[in-house]
Amino acid sequence: MSDCLFCKIIAGEIPSTKIYEDEFVYAFKDINPLAPVHILVVPKNHISSAAEINSENSSAVAHIFEAAAKIAKEQGIAEDGYRIVTNIGENGCQSVKHLHFHIMGGRKLEVTMG
Ligand code: 5GP
Ligand code: ZN
């Protein structure tokens, strides 16, 4: 999608700090980290949110979680634990309309579900 921020980041049109990349997945540092480790993992194909996952594109989610497990180990947060979050739509406070999973760790996170 030409006007999508994360599509532009994936294409290298907007700079980012790359953490991981393969055929299906791109991962980069969040510009406004909320934890010592805060990485965004996105599918290379544009999917607007987790609400748009269907039988045609759901393999993207499996790839993302495989990548996230690798990334967490490489970042040294796997043993102590971390959080993976995806926000959806207005009430979920999704600000970028390209599916992304936040990986956050490196400190004890607050116990909150909203
Ligand atoms: P959301 O609020 O949609 O769940 O998460 C969007 C995330 O993207 C936010 O945590 C925000 O800090 C991050 N973000 C927004 N613009 C940029 C950018 O240009 N570069 C990077 N690396 N992260 C961004
Ligand atoms: Zn996009």
Side-chain angles (χ1 to χ4, degrees):
M1 257 200 145
S2 56
D3 63 344
C4 170
L5 175 66
F6 288 173
C7 281
K8 287 181 182 159
I9 284 179
I10 293 160
E13 291 163 19
I14 292 175
S16 65
T17 306
K18 178 165 94 176
I19 296 292
Y20 174 85
E21 182 173 18
D22 64 29
E23 194 182 343
F24 304 107
V25 170
Y26 188 73
F28 54 104
K29 282 192 182 177
D30 196 294
I31 206 166
N32 180 29
L34 302 178
V37 175
H38 188 167
I39 292 164
L40 301 173
V41 193
V42 305
K44 285 191 169 175
N45 282 341
H46 182 87
I47 300 171
S48 51
S49 81
E52 303 304 319
I53 298 297
N54 56 44
S55 56
E56 305 286 299
N57 63 19
S58 60
S59 63
V61 178
H63 285 296
I64 284 171
F65 272 77
E66 251 184 76
K70 263 186 224 166
I71 290 165
K73 286 187 193 98
E74 281 168 14
Q75 295 287 317
I77 59 172
E79 200 168 317
D80 288 345
Y82 55 100
R83 185 172 288 163
I84 297 179
V85 173
T86 191
N87 296 321
I88 301 161
E90 187 66 25
N91 281 2
C93 299
Q94 180 185 5
S95 60
V96 180
K97 308 300 189 237
H98 180 126
L99 177 64
H100 53 282
F101 290 81
H102 298 255
I103 303 176
M104 287 170 288
R107 68 167 168 82
K108 181 86 172 178
L109 300 167
E110 294 84 18
V111 179
T112 172
M113 289 297 284

